[in-house]
Amino acid sequence: MKDLFRSSFSRYVLVLFFAVIALTVAGRVVTLTGAEAFCKGWPLCKPTAPVGWMKLAHISTAGIASLLMLAVFRKAWREQRDQRVLLPLTTILTVVFFGQALVGAVQVTQPGAAHLIFLHRLTTWALWISLLLLVYASGVLARDAEPVALDQKQRWKDFFALSKPLIVGLLLITTYGGLVIGGKQFPSFSLTLWTLLGGALAAGGSSALNQYIDRELDRNMQRTAKRPLADGRLTDAEGLAFGLGLSLASYYILASFVNALAALLSLAGIVYYVILYSVWLKKATVQNIVIGGGAGAIPPLVGYAAATGTLDWTAWILFLIIFMWTPPHFWALAIVRMKDYERAGVPMMPVVRGEMETRRQILIYTVELVIVTLLLPLLNLAGTIYLVSALVLGGALLYAAWEVWKRGGNKVAWRMYKWSSSYLVFIFLAIMVDAVAR
């Protein structure tokens, strides 16, 4: 017991704890006394009655607590980089702390919004639970450590790589496609900004958590051995904290600035990819990519929900397009990297059922994908521009899949993998142009 709270980090956390208590008490007093009405303004206010000073005291306490929160956050990332409990817990607490403030501020402009009221209450509980856990964990686990001199430029590059920026970019194109198609026009700058920012954080956070889960597996694969966590350039704690922080922040942004449905869909995508695919399916079944493809198909639903607040047949067909696109895209890569997956023990289709069967499945799924893309014009949900584009692009993709089936070999499979990425971009561009032009 004598070693409890001996570190400077744990003492910082204790001071933060008491500051949050003071902030909570001050906020409660403001509510009970109605001090809000006697000191209007933000970030500071001028009291018009003695009770108004309580509101000013509350604002001042909030400022002090915020500075302390930032100090604890900075100290954790400088001194507790190897702590797989402390660093993620501090990051979660920081996001929840400022998320609470964000939701409270947005509630002023959206009074009575049920999802914000619920989120504010839920965040209050999450704040106190995470703070109490951090107080205890820091007292037990934290140790003083001299900050290590690090190459900050390289670290920024590594964190950027941890988010898988190419995948994030592809997902944002499909998200924006959902936005345009749902609204049948190019959306406002603010809606675009918050939807894509929330989507980018969700995708980047999911990718970081995926790399944290797969860090040992990645070390056994040539394609992934140089990833930041697999190569040891970032610690496991940093990868976990980064992923959790981005994922949480994405929910607060979408819930506060977009709508509840978009936020919940994004959260579902994170859970789907991280838990269902990364933790369970990837190593459990040859159908990992087929079932797991649902995670990558959620972004257009997020965009569509952001524009409309609902989901209809158009949205679900967009979901199906990406769901059917995923297997032939990744199986083409799996053929090229078959030895990597075999060495890592991942039951990808070429490893379990052989290259010939994989090539056949690529062709079958590509045919099904092209049929799905034609549902939009067949149901009068898209026009001539999209129909012509879908036929041309689909024909080119079918030819690539046919070559994979007939000729085989890594060169042809790699061409299919690269072209299928471009195909998804072009088909969503066609959907957007058609939606605006109709």
Side-chain angles (χ1 to χ4, degrees):
M1 292 292 290
K2 66 180 181 179
D3 291 330
L4 288 178
F5 303 107
R6 293 288 296 274
S7 72
S8 62
F9 177 75
S10 62
R11 292 194 292 272
Y12 265 72
V13 173
L14 268 181
V15 174
L16 173 64
F17 174 70
F18 290 116
V20 174
I21 290 178
L23 177 61
T24 304
V25 171
R28 187 61 178 163
V29 171
V30 167
T31 301
L32 292 175
T33 61
E36 180 83 33
F38 301 95
C39 192
K40 295 186 178 294
W42 191 92
L44 297 177
C45 63
K46 184 178 181 180
T48 57
V51 72
W53 287 97
M54 286 305 307
K55 171 66 183 304
L56 190 59
H58 179 247
I59 293 174
S60 301
T61 307
I64 293 170
S66 298
L67 291 175
L68 283 169
M69 185 71 258
L70 291 174
V72 168
F73 179 76
R74 181 174 182 271
K75 199 169 182 63
W77 278 87
R78 284 169 59 86
E79 299 176 9
Q80 310 298 325
R81 295 176 55 245
D82 296 315
Q83 291 280 1
R84 274 192 284 181
V85 173
L86 290 181
L87 189 59
L89 193 52
T90 303
T91 304
I92 290 171
L93 175 62
T94 304
V95 175
V96 168
F97 180 90
F98 289 106
Q100 175 83 322
L102 173 63
V103 174
V106 174
Q107 277 186 295
V108 175
T109 62
Q110 301 180 40
H115 71 284
L116 292 178
I117 294 172
F118 175 77
L119 182 57
H120 197 266
R121 291 173 180 170
L122 183 64
T123 302
T124 300
W125 281 99
L127 174 65
W128 279 105
I129 290 171
S130 56
L131 180 57
L132 289 170
L133 287 174
L134 183 60
V135 169
Y136 174 77
S138 65
V140 174
L141 300 174
R143 297 291 181 268
D144 282 324
E146 288 294 327
V148 179
L150 299 169
D151 184 344
Q152 294 300 326
K153 185 177 180 180
Q154 181 60 48
R155 281 171 62 76
W156 281 108
K157 290 180 179 178
D158 288 334
F159 281 115
F160 187 64
L162 201 61
S163 68
K164 296 183 181 178
L166 292 178
I167 292 178
V168 170
L170 191 60
L171 294 178
L172 289 184
I173 290 172
T174 63
T175 303
Y176 188 66
L179 261 176
V180 174
I181 299 159
K184 295 181 174 56
Q185 61 183 350
F186 291 113
S188 67
F189 174 77
S190 61
L191 182 60
T192 300
L193 171 66
W194 295 120
T195 304
L196 295 188
L197 177 59
L201 292 174
S206 299
S207 296
L209 291 173
N210 168 261
Q211 289 186 58
Y212 170 77
I213 293 165
D214 285 348
R215 61 195 185 282
E216 295 297 335
L217 182 152
D218 285 344
R219 293 186 180 110
N220 296 320
M221 298 176 63
Q222 183 181 358
R223 180 173 68 91
T224 57
K226 291 300 180 181
R227 285 177 172 174
L229 294 179
D231 196 41
R233 299 193 305 277
L234 296 177
T235 68
D236 293 350
E238 288 175 322
L240 180 59
F242 183 71
L244 290 172
L246 291 190
S247 299
L248 265 178
S250 72
Y251 187 84
Y252 280 108
I253 286 173
L254 290 171
S256 298
F257 297 114
V258 184
N259 60 50
L261 181 57
L264 288 172
L265 285 168
S266 179
L267 180 62
I270 294 171
V271 173
Y272 196 140
Y273 183 64
V274 174
I275 304 299
L276 187 63
Y277 174 71
S278 299
V279 173
W280 179 42
L281 287 173
K282 187 168 185 177
K283 298 179 183 178
T285 173
V286 71
Q287 296 298 317
N288 48 17
I289 287 299
V290 177
I291 305 171
I298 288 178
L301 297 185
V302 173
Y304 201 92
T308 66
T310 61
L311 298 176
D312 58 20
W313 280 110
T314 302
W316 289 111
I317 291 173
L318 296 181
F319 175 92
L320 278 176
I321 288 173
I322 300 180
F323 187 82
M324 301 305 299
W325 166 87
T326 303
H329 173 71
F330 279 101
W331 282 337
L333 175 64
I335 289 175
V336 177
R337 299 294 184 178
M338 183 166 59
K339 293 189 182 299
D340 261 0
Y341 285 115
E342 187 175 11
R343 186 163 51 248
V346 180
M348 285 293 184
M349 178 75 73
V351 175
V352 176
R353 297 186 182 172
E355 182 182 334
M356 188 62 198
E357 175 62 17
T358 305
R359 286 155 51 189
R360 188 175 76 89
Q361 290 295 323
I362 286 174
L363 180 60
I364 291 172
Y365 270 87
T366 303
V367 171
E368 293 171 348
L369 166 62
V370 173
I371 292 172
V372 168
T373 62
L374 296 176
L375 289 177
L376 287 172
L378 286 175
L379 296 175
N380 199 31
L381 300 174
T384 305
I385 294 175
Y386 171 76
L387 175 60
V388 172
S389 300
L391 289 172
V392 172
L393 292 169
L397 191 66
L398 280 170
Y399 177 75
W402 176 267
E403 279 206 314
V404 169
W405 182 54
K406 294 297 290 183
R407 291 176 54 190
N410 287 357
K411 185 176 180 180
V412 175
W414 182 250
R415 189 183 305 136
M416 172 69 183
Y417 172 72
K418 299 292 286 184
W419 165 235
S420 59
S421 297
S422 301
Y423 168 85
L424 190 64
V425 173
F426 290 137
I427 198 75
F428 267 82
L429 286 175
I431 294 172
M432 286 187 272
V433 172
D434 183 86
V436 173
R438 286 188 79 190

